Amino acid sequence: MNIRKKVHSFIRIFFVIITCAGAVGCATTGSNSSAPIIPGQEQGQATGSKTPPPPAQAPVNSTSRVIDDLLAKGKRALSSKQPMLAIEQAERGIRIDRTEPELYLLLARAYDALGEVTKAANFARQGLRYVSNSQFLLKQKLQKFTEN
């Protein structure tokens, strides 16, 4: 076999190998790829990419929304003469955030509506532990129940 035929065979084998390798590489980079996805990196994006990740968004404080919703339901229950329902709403809120003084005020008002003055005062005292200096009106409302 002469040199020309050997080179020609080598080139054919080389292109077959390259073609197969390319086909295998394309098959593994599809949407069903098992390659790990790096946070902040889109699928198919190279790890050495110079594109910065998108800016992080501030997390939504869903706990405060839930507490606000429970407080609103509790206040509506009190205004419709349903203190037990108001107590239920406030207790749910305290299980979520026991440091929210408005929940204790709701409990104090509900127990006061039921005629349970001692319980109302106890819950008001608990609420006073969590009142900040900027919550002057809330502090006054809670103190009203502890004066009796």
Side-chain angles (χ1 to χ4, degrees), residues 44-64:
Q45 182 181 2
T47 55
S49 175
K50 300 291 183 195
T51 307
Q57 294 179 350
V60 177
N61 192 350
S62 61
T63 302
S64 65

Side-chain angles (χ1 to χ4, degrees), residues 23-64:
V24 170
C26 288
T28 61
T29 59
S31 62
N32 294 330
S33 173
S34 61
I37 297 174
I38 300 170
Q41 174 185 348
E42 293 182 25
Q43 191 170 356
Q45 182 181 2
T47 55
S49 175
K50 300 291 183 195
T51 307
Q57 294 179 350
V60 177
N61 192 350
S62 61
T63 302
S64 65

Side-chain angles (χ1 to χ4, degrees), residues 91-111:
E91 287 176 345
R92 283 183 188 164
I94 287 174
R95 279 182 287 217
I96 296 169
D97 182 5
R98 66 184 201 108
T99 64
E100 177 53 59
E102 286 191 56
L103 292 168
Y104 292 97
L105 177 60
L106 180 59
L107 282 169
R109 286 178 171 167
Y111 279 110

Side-chain angles (χ1 to χ4, degrees), residues 20-144:
C20 289
V24 170
C26 288
T28 61
T29 59
S31 62
N32 294 330
S33 173
S34 61
I37 297 174
I38 300 170
Q41 174 185 348
E42 293 182 25
Q43 191 170 356
Q45 182 181 2
T47 55
S49 175
K50 300 291 183 195
T51 307
Q57 294 179 350
V60 177
N61 192 350
S62 61
T63 302
S64 65
R65 276 194 249 155
V66 171
I67 297 296
D68 290 344
D69 186 46
L70 291 170
L71 280 167
K73 287 178 183 176
K75 289 174 183 178
R76 280 194 303 271
L78 263 182
S79 67
S80 62
K81 309 287 187 218
Q82 295 177 312
M84 291 305 295
L85 182 57
I87 290 168
E88 288 176 23
Q89 299 303 313
E91 287 176 345
R92 283 183 188 164
I94 287 174
R95 279 182 287 217
I96 296 169
D97 182 5
R98 66 184 201 108
T99 64
E100 177 53 59
E102 286 191 56
L103 292 168
Y104 292 97
L105 177 60
L106 180 59
L107 282 169
R109 286 178 171 167
Y111 279 110
D112 188 56
L114 290 173
E116 297 187 42
V117 182
T118 305
K119 278 188 179 181
N122 288 337
F123 281 113
R125 280 189 207 92
Q126 285 181 314
L128 285 169
R129 293 188 299 182
Y130 303 113
V131 175
S132 68
N133 291 335
S134 64
Q135 296 173 307
F136 182 74
L137 291 175
L138 181 59
K139 186 175 183 178
Q140 281 184 328
K141 291 174 184 178
L142 286 165
Q143 285 175 335
K144 178 184 111 179

